[in-house]
Amino acid sequence: MQIRFLGHACFELSDGSDTVLIDPFLSGNPKAAIAADDAAATTILLTHGHGDHFGDTVSIAKRTGAPVVAIVEIADELEQEGVQVHDPNLGGTVRFDWGSVKLVPAWHTSTTPKGTVNTPAGLVVNFHDTIVYHLGDTCLFSDLQLVGKRAPIDIALMCIGGHYTMDSTDAVEAAQLVGASTVIPCHYNTFPAIEADAAAFKSDVESATRSNVVVLEPGETHST
Ligand code: NI
Ligand code: MN
């Protein structure tokens, strides 16, 4: 499996035939690795409705025909746009030929694109038996440890930028709670408010945990 970091909180999981695209904020993203028109997707997954995650969801879904998995209030609005959706709520799992995605809690805020206040999520993705946990825009909270107890996490995608999410110090504790084999930091250095030192985060996590930290520049790929 290949996981490509496309900038901010956007990742692409692929195996050569299936392509799962998470939080496709590309247009207007100063760190976007590709243009929205060049994004591939067989399925699109959303953590929540903020613009730096929802991004180009509608245009990519319409161009590719990929269904979108999003929490029910966001899915309802996407369906009105003519996009094919799956509409779980927290705790729900949606299954595909390539695996599954489960929505888990994330402590943050969210609004739908039309402005309805709703609940954000983290995503536990089983992609051909590799478990990838995108924590979403969460702060640190102790129930993060429950996710890894239910399914051992191979790769955790974790915000470290602070201000809108947990910072790189709290994320070290989150890495301990999640217990993933590999941690990939995200949601930092996109804007001045979320500057973070990923090299220091890597060193701190690798001192405190058994996790390996892989720092990806936008456009770089990690292969499992
Ligand atoms: Ni957010
Ligand atoms: Mn965000």
Side-chain angles (χ1 to χ4, degrees):
M1 182 199 106
Q2 298 207 309
I3 179 160
R4 182 161 66 134
F5 181 43
L6 296 179
H8 198 55
C10 180
F11 290 88
E12 176 199 78
L13 317 181
S14 62
D15 70 341
S17 59
D18 301 308
T19 304
V20 174
L21 186 63
I22 306 174
D23 284 359
F25 166 51
L26 298 168
S27 301
N29 173 355
K31 294 294 176 71
I34 62 171
D37 286 347
D38 296 326
T42 48
T43 312
I44 299 170
L45 312 179
L46 294 180
T47 60
H48 66 296
H50 285 154
D52 60 318
H53 299 261
F54 186 87
D56 300 291
T57 294
V58 172
S59 67
I60 297 170
K62 287 191 170 174
R63 176 173 53 77
T64 60
V68 181
V69 180
I71 203 162
V72 58
E73 293 85 5
I74 297 171
D76 286 351
E77 289 188 7
L78 282 167
E79 195 165 37
Q80 292 166 20
E81 299 281 328
V83 171
Q84 188 191 336
V85 299
H86 300 273
D87 66 346
N89 210 317
L90 296 177
T93 299
V94 181
R95 291 186 170 77
F96 296 91
D97 291 344
W98 50 260
S100 63
V101 56
K102 180 178 184 179
L103 270 59
V104 296
W107 265 103
H108 185 62
T109 63
S110 177
T111 55
T112 68
K114 290 182 180 167
T116 302
V117 172
N118 81 324
T119 302
L123 305 171
V124 181
V125 182
N126 179 333
F127 186 76
H128 296 290
D129 295 326
T130 298
I131 310 297
V132 179
Y133 176 22
H134 193 308
L135 275 69
D137 271 5
T138 195
C139 64
L140 177 63
F141 67 113
S142 61
D143 282 356
L144 291 170
Q145 68 191 303
L146 286 176
V147 178
K149 282 186 180 173
R150 296 289 290 114
I153 307 300
D154 294 305
I155 302 173
L157 311 175
M158 195 174 288
C159 294
I160 66 165
H163 194 76
Y164 303 111
T165 69
M166 61 186 175
D167 61 21
S168 59
T169 305
D170 281 350
V172 175
E173 183 75 25
Q176 291 181 283
L177 294 173
V178 171
S181 302
T182 300
V183 173
I184 300 176
C186 67
H187 211 282
Y188 68 100
N189 291 356
T190 319
F191 311 109
I194 58 172
E195 284 177 5
D197 183 342
F201 172 72
K202 174 180 170 68
S203 145
D204 291 347
V205 170
E206 291 182 347
S207 302
T209 74
R210 289 187 209 156
S211 303
N212 293 314
V213 176
V214 175
V215 177
L216 296 178
E217 292 299 318
E220 289 186 337
T221 298
H222 172 67
S223 300
T224 63

